[in-house]
Amino acid sequence: MAILGLQLQQRFPVLTGVCYSRLISATIHVPAVASVSSLSCKLKKWNNGGRLPRRLVVGLGASFWAQYMNMASNSKSFIASARLKGAVEQALQNVEWPEQFPFKDEDFQRFDETPDSLFYEAPRFVTHIDDAAIAALTKYYSEVFPPSNTPGVSILDMCSSWVSHFPKGYKQERVVGMGMNEEELKRNPVLTEYVVQDLNLKPKLPFEDNSFDVITNVVSVDYLTKPLDVFKEMCRILKPGGLAIMSFSNRCFWTKAISIWTSTGDTDHALIVGSYFHYAGGFEPPQAVDISPNPGRSDPMYIVFSRKLSTA
């Protein structure tokens, strides 16, 4: 069995003299973890009463910083982080979870702690992953979603925007978008209704118990500062057997992403998201899937999913 662990990358302190306006507008690559075997021995102390070492609130790995400087210099090239094939999918197999949620308050701090409403005030009609990754996610949805126009099916797209990457022409009687910018949500053609809500201020979801068949979240789970509260709410509003799909890449607005995310890599991210399902309770053991379309040549794409227990 694998012991849940996080490979913390070598980090630099936050460097002075960096133009903040450029940092906040950039979507940055998070470094990948080299192998899953290195994870097994990192945090055995979790099961032995130990504590995680304290980290910097924001850590910049060497590869992270090099990639940022490459982007900041207006380079159009993209070099995807190398990773061990299958490492992400193995990350959640036979995990020995610690008895208690292992993360600390500082793990959910961000470089930019100003109100998120300010950051998301202006609409961004852009996509945050490349076309190949989007196509891979859409294909995955087509394989796991209920058939289009199935009577009684409801879907919640959490942390939604102007596009949800659902299959072309996909419709259900109820598709709810929840996001931070109303102008973006109004432009989303798949939504039948929307809610503007900051989950970091108000994690309680404004829906009845057992309301949704599917919950999706695209490249936004890394911004949640109260993830256990949100995942408990997800469990409450899912119908028994309902499916929750968290997708992520190695891109993020790093000033708004939580510290534990920016200082770890792809395999660790699967463990982090898996831990949210596990410690929220009421879910089947989470699973990870690597749906990256062109490893090393385009944005990676990962899924961590689980279903609400039928008896929950």
Side-chain angles (χ1 to χ4, degrees):
M1 289 188 176
I3 305 294
L4 173 62
L6 303 178
Q7 176 169 345
L8 303 183
Q9 305 290 328
Q10 179 183 1
R11 293 179 294 278
F12 297 119
V14 178
L15 301 184
T16 59
V18 177
C19 178
Y20 180 75
S21 62
R22 293 182 72 175
L23 283 175
I24 203 167
S25 63
T27 305
I28 304 298
H29 303 94
V30 176
V33 172
S35 72
V36 78
S37 61
S38 63
L39 300 173
S40 62
C41 61
K42 288 297 180 182
L43 292 181
K44 289 183 180 179
K45 290 183 179 179
W46 279 4
N47 287 325
N48 296 322
R51 293 190 59 186
L52 279 169
R54 290 184 62 86
R55 300 176 299 103
L56 297 175
V57 172
V58 174
L60 299 180
S63 62
F64 180 112
W65 182 250
Q67 289 176 51
Y68 165 67
M69 293 303 292
N70 186 47
M71 293 177 66
S73 64
N74 296 318
S75 171
K76 294 183 179 179
S77 64
F78 165 70
I79 302 175
S81 299
R83 67 186 187 282
L84 180 67
K85 183 176 178 60
V88 170
E89 295 188 341
Q90 296 171 22
L92 293 175
Q93 295 179 6
N94 303 315
V95 178
E96 293 182 6
W97 299 102
E99 184 176 346
Q100 301 295 325
F101 188 56
F103 302 116
K104 307 301 178 184
D105 289 345
E106 63 259 32
D107 293 319
F108 301 99
Q109 294 175 330
R110 288 94 50 84
F111 182 84
D112 177 9
E113 291 288 4
T114 59
D116 289 346
S117 58
L118 297 178
F119 185 84
Y120 295 103
E121 184 176 16
R124 294 179 176 90
F125 297 111
V126 298
T127 53
H128 301 287
I129 48 178
D130 63 24
D131 290 343
I134 291 172
L137 179 61
T138 299
K139 181 176 183 294
Y140 179 84
Y141 282 161
S142 71
E143 295 169 351
V144 300
F145 275 9
S148 190
N149 294 308
T150 300
V153 165
S154 296
I155 296 178
L156 172 63
D157 187 28
M158 186 180 291
C159 304
S160 188
S161 64
W162 67 286
V163 61
S164 295
H165 307 310
F166 289 6
K168 185 177 181 180
Y170 188 83
K171 295 182 181 297
Q172 294 296 354
E173 181 177 340
R174 188 185 191 200
V175 180
V176 183
M178 172 175 279
M180 289 287 292
N181 186 278
E182 187 170 13
E183 292 303 312
E184 292 182 17
L185 295 170
K186 284 180 178 178
R187 287 269 296 270
N188 192 323
V190 305
L191 304 181
T192 62
E193 59 188 274
Y194 65 82
V195 176
V196 178
Q197 182 170 321
D198 184 348
L199 293 174
N200 290 337
L201 287 180
K202 189 178 179 182
K204 174 116 179 126
L205 302 178
F207 308 109
E208 296 181 357
D209 297 356
N210 307 317
S211 297
F212 293 95
D213 298 271
V214 179
I215 296 176
T216 59
N217 183 314
V218 181
V219 295
S220 295
V221 69
D222 45 319
Y223 304 121
L224 297 177
T225 61
K226 299 179 177 67
L228 286 192
D229 293 338
V230 173
F231 274 62
K232 288 175 182 178
E233 281 290 286
M234 287 165 48
C235 185
R236 179 183 65 81
I237 67 172
L238 276 173
K239 300 175 184 178
L243 177 64
I245 304 168
M246 305 291 108
S247 60
F248 55 92
S249 185
N250 64 353
R251 290 179 173 268
C252 67
F253 293 112
W254 75 265
T255 60
K256 281 297 185 181
I258 58 173
S259 175
I260 194 67
W261 196 274
T262 59
S263 58
T264 56
D266 297 345
T267 306
D268 298 330
H269 296 161
L271 284 163
I272 292 167
V273 178
S275 77
Y276 298 163
F277 280 116
H278 176 80
Y279 292 102
F283 287 101
E284 295 178 356
Q287 299 180 55
V289 182
D290 185 346
I291 61 169
S292 303
N294 305 298
R297 292 182 288 119
S298 64
D299 289 343
M301 201 69 210
Y302 310 109
I303 303 286
V304 174
F305 70 91
S306 183
R307 290 186 179 274
K308 179 176 177 176
L309 294 170
S310 58
T311 56

